Coordinates of all heavy atoms in Angstrom, one line a residue:
G1 N 226.0 59.3 164.8 CA 226.7 60.5 165.3 C 226.4 61.8 164.6 O 227.1 62.8 164.9
K2 N 225.5 61.8 163.7 CA 225.1 63.0 162.9 C 223.7 63.4 163.2 O 222.8 62.6 163.4 CB 225.3 62.7 161.4 CG 226.7 62.4 160.9 CD 226.7 62.2 159.4 CE 228.1 61.9 159.0 NZ 228.2 61.7 157.5
T3 N 223.6 64.7 163.3 CA 222.2 65.3 163.6 C 221.4 65.2 162.4 O 221.8 65.7 161.3 CB 222.3 66.7 164.1 OG1 223.1 66.7 165.3 CG2 221.0 67.3 164.5
Q4 N 220.2 64.7 162.5 CA 219.3 64.6 161.3 C 218.2 65.6 161.5 O 217.6 65.8 162.5 CB 218.6 63.2 161.3 CG 219.7 62.1 161.2 CD 220.4 62.1 159.9 OE1 219.9 62.3 158.8 NE2 221.7 62.0 160.0
N5 N 217.9 66.4 160.4 CA 216.8 67.4 160.4 C 215.5 66.7 159.9 O 215.6 65.9 159.0 CB 217.2 68.5 159.5 CG 218.4 69.3 160.1 OD1 218.6 69.3 161.3 ND2 219.1 70.0 159.2
F6 N 214.4 67.2 160.5 CA 213.2 66.6 160.1 C 212.2 67.7 159.7 O 212.4 68.9 160.1 CB 212.5 65.9 161.3 CG 213.3 64.6 161.7 CD1 214.2 64.6 162.7 CD2 213.0 63.4 161.1 CE1 214.9 63.5 163.0 CE2 213.7 62.3 161.4 CZ 214.6 62.3 162.4
Q7 N 211.3 67.4 158.9 CA 210.3 68.4 158.5 C 208.9 67.8 158.8 O 208.6 66.7 158.4 CB 210.4 68.7 157.0 CG 209.4 69.7 156.5 CD 209.6 70.0 155.0 OE1 210.1 69.1 154.3 NE2 209.1 71.1 154.5
I8 N 208.1 68.6 159.5 CA 206.7 68.2 159.9 C 205.8 68.5 158.7 O 205.8 69.7 158.3 CB 206.2 68.8 161.2 CG1 207.2 68.4 162.3 CG2 204.8 68.5 161.5 CD1 206.8 69.1 163.6
I9 N 205.1 67.5 158.2 CA 204.3 67.7 157.0 C 202.8 67.6 157.4 O 202.4 66.7 158.2 CB 204.6 66.6 156.0 CG1 206.1 66.7 155.6 CG2 203.7 66.8 154.8 CD1 206.5 65.6 154.6
D10 N 202.0 68.6 157.0 CA 200.6 68.6 157.3 C 199.9 67.6 156.3 O 199.9 67.8 155.1 CB 200.1 70.0 157.1 CG 198.6 70.1 157.4 OD1 198.0 69.1 157.9 OD2 198.0 71.2 157.2
I11 N 199.3 66.5 156.9 CA 198.7 65.5 156.0 C 197.2 65.6 156.3 O 196.5 64.6 156.0 CB 199.2 64.1 156.3 CG1 199.0 63.7 157.8 CG2 200.7 64.0 155.9 CD1 199.3 62.3 158.1
T12 N 196.7 66.7 156.8 CA 195.2 66.8 157.1 C 194.4 66.5 155.9 O 193.4 65.7 156.0 CB 194.9 68.2 157.7 OG1 195.7 68.4 158.8 CG2 193.4 68.3 158.0
P13 N 194.7 67.1 154.7 CA 193.9 66.7 153.5 C 193.8 65.2 153.2 O 192.8 64.7 152.8 CB 194.5 67.5 152.4 CG 195.3 68.6 153.1 CD 195.8 68.0 154.4
E14 N 195.0 64.5 153.4 CA 195.0 63.1 153.1 C 194.1 62.4 154.1 O 193.4 61.4 153.7 CB 196.4 62.6 153.1 CG 197.3 63.0 151.9 CD 197.8 64.4 152.1 OE1 197.5 65.0 153.1 OE2 198.7 64.8 151.3
V15 N 194.1 62.8 155.3 CA 193.3 62.1 156.4 C 191.8 62.3 156.0 O 191.0 61.4 156.1 CB 193.7 62.6 157.8 CG1 192.7 62.1 158.8 CG2 195.1 62.3 158.1
I16 N 191.5 63.5 155.7 CA 190.1 63.8 155.4 C 189.6 63.0 154.2 O 188.6 62.4 154.1 CB 189.9 65.3 155.2 CG1 190.1 66.1 156.5 CG2 188.5 65.6 154.7 CD1 190.1 67.6 156.4
R17 N 190.5 63.0 153.2 CA 190.2 62.3 151.9 C 190.0 60.8 152.2 O 189.0 60.2 151.7 CB 191.3 62.5 150.9 CG 191.0 61.8 149.6 CD 192.3 61.7 148.8 NE 193.3 61.0 149.5 CZ 194.6 61.1 149.3 NH1 195.1 62.0 148.4 NH2 195.5 60.4 150.0
D18 N 190.9 60.2 153.0 CA 190.8 58.7 153.2 C 189.5 58.4 154.1 O 188.9 57.4 153.9 CB 192.0 58.2 154.0 CG 193.3 58.3 153.1 OD1 193.1 58.4 151.8 OD2 194.4 58.3 153.6
Y19 N 189.2 59.3 155.0 CA 188.1 59.0 155.9 C 186.8 59.2 155.3 O 185.8 58.4 155.5 CB 188.2 59.8 157.2 CG 187.3 59.4 158.3 CD1 187.7 58.3 159.1 CD2 186.1 60.0 158.5 CE1 186.9 57.9 160.1 CE2 185.3 59.6 159.6 CZ 185.6 58.5 160.4 OH 184.8 58.1 161.4
F20 N 186.7 60.2 154.4 CA 185.4 60.5 153.8 C 185.5 60.3 152.3 O 185.0 61.1 151.5 CB 184.9 61.9 154.1 CG 184.9 62.2 155.6 CD1 185.7 63.2 156.1 CD2 184.0 61.5 156.4 CE1 185.6 63.4 157.5 CE2 183.9 61.8 157.7 CZ 184.7 62.7 158.3
E21 N 186.0 59.2 151.9 CA 186.4 59.0 150.5 C 185.1 58.9 149.6 O 185.1 59.4 148.5 CB 187.1 57.6 150.3 CG 187.6 57.4 148.9 CD 188.5 56.2 148.8 OE1 188.6 55.4 149.8 OE2 189.1 56.0 147.8
E22 N 184.0 58.4 150.2 CA 182.9 58.2 149.4 C 182.1 59.4 149.1 O 181.2 59.5 148.2 CB 181.9 57.2 150.0 CG 181.1 57.7 151.3 CD 182.0 57.7 152.5 OE1 183.2 57.3 152.4 OE2 181.5 58.2 153.5
I23 N 182.4 60.5 149.8 CA 181.7 61.8 149.5 C 182.6 62.8 148.8 O 182.2 63.9 148.6 CB 181.2 62.4 150.8 CG1 182.3 62.8 151.7 CG2 180.2 61.6 151.5 CD1 181.9 63.6 152.9
T24 N 183.8 62.4 148.4 CA 184.8 63.3 147.8 C 184.6 63.1 146.3 O 184.8 62.0 145.7 CB 186.2 63.0 148.2 OG1 186.3 63.1 149.6 CG2 187.2 63.9 147.5
P25 N 184.3 64.2 145.5 CA 184.1 64.1 144.1 C 185.4 63.8 143.4 O 186.4 64.4 143.9 CB 183.5 65.4 143.7 CG 184.0 66.4 144.7 CD 184.0 65.5 146.0
P26 N 185.5 63.0 142.4 CA 186.7 62.7 141.7 C 187.2 64.0 141.0 O 186.4 64.8 140.6 CB 186.3 61.6 140.7 CG 184.9 61.8 140.4 CD 184.3 62.3 141.7
P27 N 188.5 64.2 140.8 CA 189.0 65.4 140.1 C 188.6 65.4 138.6 O 188.5 64.3 138.0 CB 190.5 65.3 140.3 CG 190.8 63.8 140.5 CD 189.6 63.3 141.2
E28 N 188.4 66.6 138.1 CA 188.1 66.6 136.7 C 189.3 66.2 135.9 O 190.4 66.4 136.2 CB 187.7 68.1 136.3 CG 186.4 68.5 137.1 CD 186.1 69.9 136.6 OE1 186.7 70.5 135.7 OE2 185.1 70.5 137.2
E29 N 188.9 65.6 134.7 CA 190.0 65.1 133.8 C 190.8 66.3 133.3 O 190.4 67.3 132.9 CB 189.3 64.5 132.6 CG 190.4 63.8 131.7 CD 189.7 63.1 130.5 OE1 188.4 63.0 130.5 OE2 190.4 62.6 129.6
G30 N 192.1 66.1 133.5 CA 193.1 67.1 133.0 C 193.5 68.1 134.1 O 194.3 69.0 133.8
S31 N 192.8 68.1 135.3 CA 193.1 69.0 136.3 C 194.1 68.4 137.3 O 194.3 67.2 137.4 CB 191.9 69.4 137.1 OG 191.3 68.3 137.7
E32 N 194.8 69.3 138.0 CA 195.8 68.9 139.0 C 195.1 68.4 140.2 O 194.1 69.0 140.7 CB 196.8 70.0 139.3 CG 197.7 70.4 138.2 CD 198.8 69.3 138.0 OE1 199.1 68.7 139.0 OE2 199.3 69.2 136.9
P33 N 195.6 67.3 140.9 CA 195.0 66.9 142.2 C 195.3 68.0 143.2 O 196.2 68.8 143.1 CB 195.7 65.6 142.5 CG 197.0 65.7 141.7 CD 196.7 66.5 140.5
L34 N 194.4 68.0 144.3 CA 194.6 68.9 145.4 C 195.9 68.9 146.0 O 196.5 69.9 146.4 CB 193.5 68.7 146.4 CG 193.5 69.6 147.6 CD1 193.2 71.0 147.2 CD2 192.4 69.1 148.7
D35 N 196.5 67.7 146.1 CA 197.8 67.5 146.8 C 198.9 68.3 146.1 O 199.9 68.6 146.7 CB 198.1 66.0 146.9 CG 197.1 65.3 147.7 OD1 196.3 65.9 148.4 OD2 197.1 64.1 147.7
S36 N 198.7 68.5 144.8 CA 199.8 69.1 144.0 C 199.8 70.7 144.1 O 200.7 71.3 143.6 CB 199.7 68.7 142.6 OG 198.6 69.2 142.0
M37 N 198.7 71.2 144.7 CA 198.6 72.7 144.8 C 199.7 73.2 145.8 O 199.8 72.6 146.8 CB 197.2 73.1 145.3 CG 196.1 72.8 144.3 SD 196.2 73.9 142.9 CE 195.6 75.4 143.7
P38 N 200.3 74.3 145.5 CA 201.3 74.8 146.4 C 200.7 75.3 147.6 O 199.7 76.1 147.6 CB 202.0 75.9 145.6 CG 201.0 76.3 144.6 CD 200.2 75.1 144.3
K39 N 201.2 75.0 148.8 CA 200.6 75.4 150.1 C 201.6 76.3 150.8 O 202.8 76.0 150.8 CB 200.2 74.2 151.0 CG 199.2 73.3 150.4 CD 198.9 72.1 151.3 CE 197.8 71.2 150.7 NZ 198.2 70.6 149.4
P40 N 201.1 77.4 151.4 CA 202.1 78.2 152.1 C 202.7 77.5 153.3 O 202.0 76.7 154.0 CB 201.2 79.4 152.6 CG 199.8 78.8 152.6 CD 199.7 77.8 151.5
S41 N 203.9 77.9 153.6 CA 204.6 77.3 154.8 C 204.0 77.9 156.0 O 203.4 78.9 156.1 CB 206.1 77.6 154.7 OG 206.6 77.1 153.5
S42 N 204.3 77.2 157.1 CA 203.9 77.7 158.5 C 205.0 77.4 159.4 O 206.0 76.9 159.1 CB 202.6 76.9 158.9 OG 202.9 75.5 159.1
T43 N 204.7 77.8 160.7 CA 205.8 77.6 161.7 C 206.0 76.2 162.0 O 207.0 75.9 162.7 CB 205.4 78.4 163.0 OG1 204.1 77.9 163.4 CG2 205.3 79.9 162.7
A44 N 205.1 75.3 161.5 CA 205.4 73.9 161.7 C 206.4 73.3 160.8 O 206.9 72.2 161.0 CB 204.0 73.1 161.5
Q45 N 206.8 74.0 159.8 CA 207.9 73.6 158.9 C 209.2 74.0 159.5 O 209.5 75.1 159.6 CB 207.7 74.1 157.5 CG 206.5 73.6 156.8 CD 206.3 74.1 155.4 OE1 206.8 75.2 155.2 NE2 205.7 73.4 154.5

């Protein structure tokens, strides 16, 4: 009986990473992974 809010999340980088895993260079030691970079919001949020 309660309305639930949802947030659409862009997972394009994860899809690309999983599909082309063998051509993606590993992150340098001590650097932040790409997923942790802040991304600007869009109208999809």
